[in-house]
């Protein structure tokens, strides 16, 4: 799926390259026929995710022991102005955490992966004067619906195996949170996004556990 | 242009690799407490599985145990917890691989942990057999008797290092080497018992328990179903044993009470019959005491010389009797008088006895002629029906010498009060016997002496036996005067002590109405309840017995009675061929009422 989306996005981008400048707003005086890529962009990348427990300071951070996964989807910009615009995205991603629990000589490796369909909205994306390097920064929010999930557990170094009991612990299948997005585009090349997503809704009714994710992706 | 794209792409690639390296450099695994693990986070209760015992004894049994625990969520559903995640502790020290291996005597508190979740604690005590001692204590009431109720209570105690233990395992109690299932012991068998506690390879000192006989005395008694215990295999002695305690209260017999007959063990309870004449001694033994001795003498009923009596049936107006029929009637009549007839199949009287009288069909008529049909005299009467006076009149016309023949008249169509009756006359005797008239030897009969057998009764041999009984001097066993019934009198109505008598009126009343009738049951005037078996009783009776006293009376009559074909009246005895002659009605004859035997309607 991910490779299909990347290849598809890449081919469309190439078909539009280098004349395409959909990322940049067009002067009002410039009139030409719009292509689909003027409205829909494709993005794909890798995601580092983890769980955040507000009551434990030693909770894993995203960078300390992330769960590596992927993200792919489509994005569209609206209300384009010279220095700002809005964006809406619909993507598939996999969030979760890879964690280790230990005590009294027992070590448990736990991997939880939840595949979601996520809608992200960035109402305000600010960008600078168009130059050779074009950075932009945006904030917004997301809402996601879990499509499937799996929990795997390994004891004392043994190979992880399915753990339906742990999976049942994560009994909340919806999530929403805030998005902080940084995008850099070099001239007319595909942009690179670095995005931080912080979930606001606990993923379990038994424990306050929230999603955190750092996403690196290309946008075409 | 392509080159530029390539360069640009290389740069992006380098950028991404930089991010990767950055992330990898930042990677530092952090661990969380085990309790935070999601599956364990759902554990609300950790329960340690109990061991088989609370106390294990080193040196006697395996003391090592593999511990297990189970985890449950908030709704008590058991959760799958990896064994590796569970830790077990005994007195605070972790047990390797969850195996409890106590190395020494002591009390241990065992629990399990799952992270910081602690299970319940179970206590196990380890005792060393080498330091244990088994002591049997008992509570025995003074004078414990073997009544099956009084009991001794045993209390085995375990001492560990000289200190009495509590809540430990229970040793078994053995009495005379056999294990008992409780700590109490009651028995019905007196004796000295050896009691010991055993367990865990240990044995207590033996305790001797003496259980006394609960019985102060054994009493042997008996009842007879006859006035005399005859050696006839019919008389029955019911042997009873009673035991009495020190308060003279009757107690249940124990299983070890035995009954001996002439020194031989016999089953108890016993209904004793025999045909062995002589003394029979009984004694009961049990409770380590012996009963009184009961001696029962089985008497010989006596052997008389057989008297054979010829019989002639005067069949009036009907022609149904045949030679075969007469032979059968008299054969059965003979069986009745030889104590061998029991057509009803009922119980015999305990005093039942042989009369030693037999009957046969007369072969010669009063004129000395050989009878065409032995025992049959067909009589023709101008009357077609008869009252008792008619029968009397007709009988005088065919009254064969009673000292040669038993006269049996068979009348059909009897009318009047005796339509359903047969009847007979008593004999006269030359020696006094209560209940019979005396006459000089040679006196002629002044009534048609013999049997009047109702035609309607001719299939009833028992009726004929009954009426012949009158001819031989027997009365009804019940109180009454001939055809009338009386209430209980003070005198025995038939002069035979071994035949109980009863209120016939009350009996017949008992048969009227109601559904719970017992036709054969009688309540004697003495209060005794018995079954009617005597030929001299009738409807309803089993009619299968003459008693010994009745036999004695009949044999007195055969010895001293007139008008009977006996050696007393015919010294030659045996079959007679000489002409016997007819008996004529005496002048000035006055009808004498016979003994009427009405059959109840």
């Amino acid at each position: 799926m991910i490779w299909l989306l990347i290849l598809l996005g890449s081919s469309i981008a190439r078909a539009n390259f280098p004349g395409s400048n959909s990322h940049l707003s067009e002067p009002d005086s410039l009139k030409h026929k719009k292509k689909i890529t003027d409205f829909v962009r494709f993005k794909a990348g890798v995601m580092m995710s983890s769980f955040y427990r507000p009551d434990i300071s030693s909770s894993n951070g995203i960078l300390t022991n992330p769960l590596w996964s992927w993200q792919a989807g489509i994005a569209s910009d609206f209300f384009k102005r010279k220095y700002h615009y809005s964006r809406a995205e619909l993507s598939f991603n996999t969030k979760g955490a890879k964690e280790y629990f230990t005590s009294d000589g027992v070590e448990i490796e736990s991997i939880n992966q939840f595949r979601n369909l996520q809608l992200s909205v960035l109402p305000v994306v600010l960008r600078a004067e168009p130059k050779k390097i074009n950075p932009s920064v945006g904030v917004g929010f997301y809402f996601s619906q879990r499509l499937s999930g799996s929990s795997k557990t390994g004891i004392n170094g043994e190979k992880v195996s399915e753990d339906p009991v742990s999976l049942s612990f994560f009994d909340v299948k919806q999530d929403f949170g805030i998005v902080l997005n940084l995008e850099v585009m070099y001239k007319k090349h595909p942009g690179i996004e670095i995005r931080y997503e912080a979930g606001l809704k606990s993923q379990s009714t038994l424990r306050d556990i929230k999603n955190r994710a750092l996403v690196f992706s290309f946008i075409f | 242009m392509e080159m530029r794209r390539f360069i640009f792409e290389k740069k992006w690639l380098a950028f991404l690799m930089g991010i990767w390296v950055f992330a990898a450099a930042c990677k530092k695994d952090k661990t969380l407490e085990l309790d935070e693990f999601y599956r364990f986070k759902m554990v609300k209760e950790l329960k340690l599985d109990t061991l088989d015992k609370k106390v294990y004894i080193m040196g006697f049994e395996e003391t090592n145990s593999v511990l297990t625990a189970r985890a449950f969520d908030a709704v008590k559903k058991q959760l799958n917890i990896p064994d590796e995640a569970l830790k077990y502790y005994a007195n605070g020290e972790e047990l390797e691989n969850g195996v409890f291996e106590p190395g020494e005597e002591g009390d241990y508190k065992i629990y399990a942990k799952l992270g910081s979740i602690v299970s319940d604690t179970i206590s196990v005590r380890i005792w060393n057999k080498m330091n244990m001692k088994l002591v049997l204590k008992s509570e025995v009431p003074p004078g414990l008797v073997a009544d099956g109720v009084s009991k001794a209570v045993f209390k085995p105690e375990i001492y560990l290092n000289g200190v009495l233990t509590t809540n430990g395992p229970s040793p078994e109690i053995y009495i005379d080497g056999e294990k008992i299932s409780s700590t109490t012991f009651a028995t019905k068998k007196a004796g000295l018992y050896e009691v010991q506690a055993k367990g865990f390879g240990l044995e207590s000192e033996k305790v001797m328990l003496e259980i006394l006989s609960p019985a102060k005395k054994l009493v042997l008694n008996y009842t007879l179903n006859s006035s005399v215990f005859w050696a006839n295999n019919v008389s029955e002695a019911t042997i009873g044993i009673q035991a009495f305690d020190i308060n003279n209260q009757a107690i249940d017999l124990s299983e070890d009470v035995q009954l001996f007959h002439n020194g031989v063990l016999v089953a108890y309870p016993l209904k004793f019959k025999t045909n062995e004449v002589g003394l029979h001694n009984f004694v009961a033994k049990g409770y380590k005491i012996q009963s009184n001795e009961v001696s029962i003498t089985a008497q010989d009923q006596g052997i008389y010389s057989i008297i054979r009596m010829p019989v002639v049936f005067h069949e009036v107006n009907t022609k149904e009797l045949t030679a075969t029929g007469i032979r059968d009637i008299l054969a059965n009549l003979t069986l009745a008088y030889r104590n061998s007839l029991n057509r009803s199949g009922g119980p015999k009287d305990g005093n039942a006895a042989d009369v030693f009288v037999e009957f046969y069909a007369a072969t010669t008529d009063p004129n000395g002629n050989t009878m065409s049909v032995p025992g049959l005299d067909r009589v023709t009467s101008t009357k077609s029906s008869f009252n008792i006076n008619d029968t009397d009149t007709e009988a005088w016309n065919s009254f064969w010498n009673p000292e040669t023949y038993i006269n049996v008249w068979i009348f059909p169509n009897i009318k009047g009060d005796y339509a359903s009756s047969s009847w007979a006359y008593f004999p006269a005797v030359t020696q006094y016997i209560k209940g019979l008239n005396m006459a000089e030897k040679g006196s002629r009969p002044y009534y048609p002496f013999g049997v009047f057998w109702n035609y309607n009764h001719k299939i009833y041999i028992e009726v004929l036996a009954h009426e012949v009984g009158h001819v031989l001097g027997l009365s009804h066993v019940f109180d009454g005067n001939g055809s009338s019934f009386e209430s209980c009198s003070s005198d025995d109505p038939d002069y035979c002590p071994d035949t109980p008598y009863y209120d016939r009126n009350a009996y017949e009343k008992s048969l009227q109405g109601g559904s719970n009738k017992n036709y054969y049951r009688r309540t004697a005037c003495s209060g005794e309840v018995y079954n009617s078996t005597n030929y001299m009783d009738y409807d309803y009776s089993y009619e299968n017995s003459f008693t010994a006293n009745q036999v004695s009376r009949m044999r007195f009559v055969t010895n001293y009675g007139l008008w009977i074909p006996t050696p007393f009246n015919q010294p030659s005895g045996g079959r007679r061929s000489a002409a016997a002659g007819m008996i004529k009605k005496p002048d000035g004859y006055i009808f004498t009422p016979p003994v009427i035997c009405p059959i109840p309607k």
Side-chain angles (χ1 to χ4, degrees):
Chain A
M1 183 69 179
I2 181 171
W3 296 116
L4 182 64
L5 287 169
I6 291 171
L7 289 172
L8 182 62
S10 176
S11 63
I12 293 174
R14 282 175 184 153
N16 196 34
F17 191 83
S20 172
N21 192 18
S22 59
H23 177 64
L24 300 176
S25 62
E26 297 177 11
D28 293 341
S29 58
L30 187 57
K31 303 292 184 185
H32 63 86
K33 187 178 181 180
K34 302 269 184 192
K35 299 178 180 176
I36 188 170
T37 52
D38 291 337
F39 302 101
V40 178
R41 305 171 70 196
F42 297 89
K43 55 183 298 185
V46 295
M47 172 179 277
M48 301 164 69
S49 62
S50 183
F51 289 146
Y52 169 68
R53 296 172 177 77
D55 58 340
I56 298 179
S57 60
S58 62
S59 178
N60 273 340
I62 299 173
L63 299 178
T64 55
N65 191 29
L67 174 72
W68 287 91
S69 59
W70 58 272
Q71 176 192 257
I74 56 175
S76 184
D77 296 339
F78 303 97
F79 311 119
K80 293 178 181 176
R81 296 294 184 270
K82 186 174 182 181
Y83 295 110
H84 64 87
Y85 59 92
S86 299
R87 176 178 290 179
E89 297 176 0
L90 185 64
S91 62
F92 289 100
N93 63 35
T94 297
K95 290 182 182 178
K98 181 179 182 182
E99 297 166 302
Y100 293 91
F101 303 87
T102 184
S103 179
D104 293 335
V106 177
E107 185 178 86
I108 293 177
E109 179 184 4
S110 174
I111 300 174
N112 294 284
Q113 293 175 297
F114 305 118
R115 284 166 284 282
N116 308 297
L117 177 62
Q118 179 170 311
L119 173 65
S120 302
V121 177
L122 286 75
V124 179
V125 180
L126 300 176
R127 59 184 173 185
E129 185 77 21
K131 291 184 179 175
K132 192 174 183 180
I133 295 175
N134 299 298
S136 63
V137 60
V139 295
F141 56 88
Y142 73 87
F143 175 84
S144 70
Q145 172 66 45
R146 188 188 303 170
L147 301 178
S148 64
S150 73
S151 290
K152 293 182 179 179
T153 297
I155 307 289
N156 288 346
E158 291 180 356
K159 187 179 178 182
V160 294
S161 58
E162 293 293 338
D163 183 356
V165 177
S166 290
L167 180 60
S168 68
F169 180 84
F170 298 95
D171 53 351
V172 176
K173 294 188 176 180
Q174 292 77 37
D175 189 20
F176 58 82
I178 58 173
V179 175
L180 177 60
N181 189 70
L182 177 64
E183 180 181 347
V184 177
M185 189 173 181
Y186 182 74
K187 292 185 177 177
K188 299 174 182 176
H189 292 287
I192 293 176
E193 272 188 6
I194 300 175
R195 174 176 296 187
Y196 179 71
E197 295 180 356
L200 299 176
K201 184 175 176 61
S202 175
Q203 294 302 288
S204 170
T205 57
L206 304 173
R207 185 80 166 81
D208 191 6
I209 295 179
K210 295 182 174 68
N211 280 317
R212 292 289 185 270
L214 190 61
V215 187
F216 304 93
S217 57
F218 292 105
I219 183 163
F220 309 99
Chain B
M1 183 62 71
E2 291 298 319
M3 181 59 70
R4 284 181 61 192
R5 287 171 58 189
F6 176 75
I7 292 170
F8 278 124
E9 287 173 0
K10 284 287 187 182
K11 285 181 178 178
W12 294 126
L13 187 59
F15 177 74
L16 286 175
M17 289 182 67
I19 291 172
W20 187 276
V21 169
F22 167 75
C26 294
K27 182 178 180 181
K28 280 186 178 177
D29 287 353
K30 272 195 171 183
T31 60
L32 296 164
E33 288 295 319
L34 201 62
D35 299 345
E36 290 295 323
F37 178 53
Y38 310 110
R39 198 192 311 177
F40 301 167
K41 201 69 184 172
M42 300 175 77
V43 174
K44 294 299 177 190
E45 182 185 11
L46 185 62
K47 191 168 181 57
L48 183 61
D49 293 329
T50 56
L51 300 179
D52 296 337
K53 299 178 180 180
K54 296 287 186 187
V55 176
Y56 287 86
I57 297 172
M58 295 175 65
F60 170 68
E61 61 191 340
E62 179 64 54
T63 55
N64 294 354
S65 301
V66 176
L67 302 175
T68 56
R70 288 171 293 162
F72 299 90
D73 65 10
V75 293
K76 302 290 184 185
K77 180 183 176 186
Q78 185 173 345
L79 297 172
N80 181 21
I81 300 297
D83 292 338
E84 300 90 328
L86 288 166
K87 299 293 180 184
Y88 299 90
Y89 298 85
N91 289 349
E93 292 186 10
E94 183 178 342
L95 302 175
E96 189 175 351
N97 298 323
V99 179
F100 175 56
E101 295 178 293
E104 58 186 22
E105 189 176 272
D107 294 347
Y108 293 86
K109 294 193 179 303
I110 302 173
Y111 55 90
K113 284 180 71 176
L114 176 63
S116 62
I117 302 171
V118 181
S119 75
D120 53 332
T121 300
I122 61 174
S123 297
V124 176
R125 305 165 79 179
I126 305 298
W127 294 349
N128 191 336
K129 178 186 166 186
M130 301 297 291
N131 300 326
M132 293 169 60
K133 184 180 180 184
L134 206 53
V135 175
L136 178 63
K137 293 195 172 175
S138 60
E139 295 174 8
V140 182
L144 178 64
V145 293
D147 58 2
V149 177
S150 303
K151 61 183 71 170
V153 180
F154 300 103
K155 187 179 177 187
E157 294 180 340
I158 302 171
Y159 288 83
L160 181 65
N161 297 315
V163 178
L164 178 64
T165 62
T166 57
N167 301 323
S170 298
E172 307 284 359
I173 296 172
Y174 289 77
I175 295 181
D176 283 351
E178 289 191 10
K179 187 169 69 176
I180 61 173
S181 58
S182 73
T183 56
T184 62
F185 178 64
T187 183
K188 288 186 174 180
K189 189 173 183 180
L192 195 61
Y193 294 88
E194 191 177 79
V195 190
Q196 191 176 29
K198 297 179 184 178
F200 341 113
L202 300 173
E203 294 183 351
S204 73
E205 296 283 335
K206 292 177 180 174
V207 172
M208 300 310 294
L209 175 67
E210 183 178 14
I211 300 183
L212 306 174
S213 169
K216 182 182 178 184
K217 63 178 178 182
L218 274 177
V219 176
L220 196 61
N221 51 39
Y222 69 97
T223 57
L224 299 177
N225 70 342
S226 56
S227 57
V228 175
F229 187 74
W230 302 109
N232 60 357
N233 241 355
V234 176
S235 286
E236 184 175 87
T238 301
I239 310 294
I241 305 173
Q242 286 182 292
F244 297 91
D245 64 12
I246 55 174
N247 298 315
N248 223 23
Q249 298 291 316
I251 59 175
D252 293 338
L253 295 181
S254 68
E255 294 174 357
D256 68 331
V257 173
Q258 295 176 319
L259 179 64
F260 295 87
H261 170 221
N262 291 341
V264 178
L265 179 66
V266 292
Y268 174 82
L270 176 66
K271 291 186 178 296
F272 178 66
K273 298 178 184 176
T274 187
N275 52 15
E276 292 182 17
V277 175
L279 201 61
H280 296 268
N281 295 317
F282 296 88
V283 68
K285 296 178 182 177
Y287 301 110
K288 296 191 178 299
I289 55 178
Q290 181 171 314
S291 74
N292 57 304
E293 186 171 277
V294 162
S295 297
I296 302 174
T297 302
Q299 296 185 24
D300 190 351
Q301 287 185 313
I303 297 175
Y304 299 94
S305 58
I306 295 173
I307 300 173
R308 296 174 55 79
M309 299 184 182
V311 179
V312 59
F313 292 91
H314 307 289
E315 187 181 20
V316 181
N317 286 352
T318 58
K319 295 182 178 179
E320 294 185 10
L321 286 180
T322 63
T324 303
I326 290 171
R327 190 165 56 246
D328 289 345
I329 289 170
L330 296 179
N332 280 322
L333 185 64
T334 296
L335 288 175
Y337 277 77
R338 296 306 307 271
N339 195 22
S340 299
L341 184 71
N342 187 5
R343 297 203 309 164
S344 66
K348 298 271 288 183
D349 193 300
N351 294 309
D354 188 347
V355 190
F356 292 95
V357 171
E358 297 181 351
F359 302 90
Y360 66 96
T363 55
T364 308
D365 67 15
N367 299 318
N369 300 320
T370 299
M371 299 171 69
S372 58
V373 176
L376 178 60
D377 172 35
R378 289 216 164 91
V379 177
T380 302
S381 171
T382 55
K383 287 182 170 294
S384 58
S385 62
F386 306 88
N387 60 28
I388 194 166
N389 291 320
D390 296 333
T391 62
D392 183 74
T393 302
E394 291 293 343
W396 280 111
N397 294 330
S398 55
F399 186 14
W400 294 12
N401 187 347
E403 293 186 344
T404 304
Y405 308 93
I406 295 288
N407 286 276
V408 179
W409 288 276
I410 301 176
F411 281 93
N413 298 324
I414 297 175
K415 303 295 184 185
D417 293 339
Y418 308 116
S420 61
S421 300
S422 291
W423 58 87
Y425 284 95
F426 287 130
V429 290
T430 56
Q431 297 287 326
Y432 174 76
I433 187 169
K434 196 172 184 180
L436 294 178
N437 293 326
M438 293 186 65
E440 293 288 335
K441 187 167 173 57
S443 301
R444 298 179 67 82
Y446 43 88
Y447 39 68
F449 181 73
V451 173
F452 290 76
W453 199 17
N454 192 315
Y455 174 87
N456 295 330
H457 296 165
K458 71 179 187 302
I459 63 171
Y460 299 116
I461 301 300
E462 290 80 3
V463 173
L464 181 59
H466 173 103
E467 300 304 338
V468 172
H470 289 313
V471 167
L472 296 179
L474 297 183
S475 298
H476 291 148
V477 296
F478 48 80
D479 209 354
N481 179 18
S483 60
S484 64
F485 302 142
E486 306 293 340
S487 298
C488 286
S489 63
S490 57
D491 292 333
D492 189 344
D494 69 348
Y495 319 107
C496 296
D498 62 356
T499 58
Y501 60 101
Y502 63 98
D503 184 338
R504 180 78 192 183
N505 285 327
Y507 167 71
E508 294 203 357
K509 197 172 180 180
S510 73
L511 299 183
Q512 297 168 5
S515 57
N516 193 20
K517 301 172 187 173
N518 192 326
Y519 293 96
Y520 298 96
R521 186 68 52 85
R522 300 287 194 278
T523 302
C525 291
S526 64
E528 176 191 0
V529 176
Y530 66 101
N531 286 317
S532 175
T533 59
N534 204 282
Y535 284 113
M536 300 315 292
D537 199 354
Y538 51 76
D539 282 8
Y540 296 88
S541 170
Y542 291 118
E543 294 187 279
N544 56 24
S545 302
F546 287 115
T547 66
N549 288 162
Q550 287 175 318
V551 170
S552 296
R553 187 175 177 83
M554 285 189 278
R555 295 305 297 207
F556 181 92
V557 169
T558 57
N559 285 341
Y560 305 107
L562 300 177
W563 317 326
I564 304 171
T566 60
F568 176 69
N569 296 311
Q570 294 283 350
S572 61
R575 291 179 180 270
R576 296 160 182 80
S577 56
M582 301 285 287
I583 303 299
K584 299 296 181 184
K585 184 189 292 186
D587 295 336
Y589 171 74
I590 299 173
F591 172 73
T592 301
V595 183
I596 303 295
C597 309
I599 305 298
K601 295 177 181 176

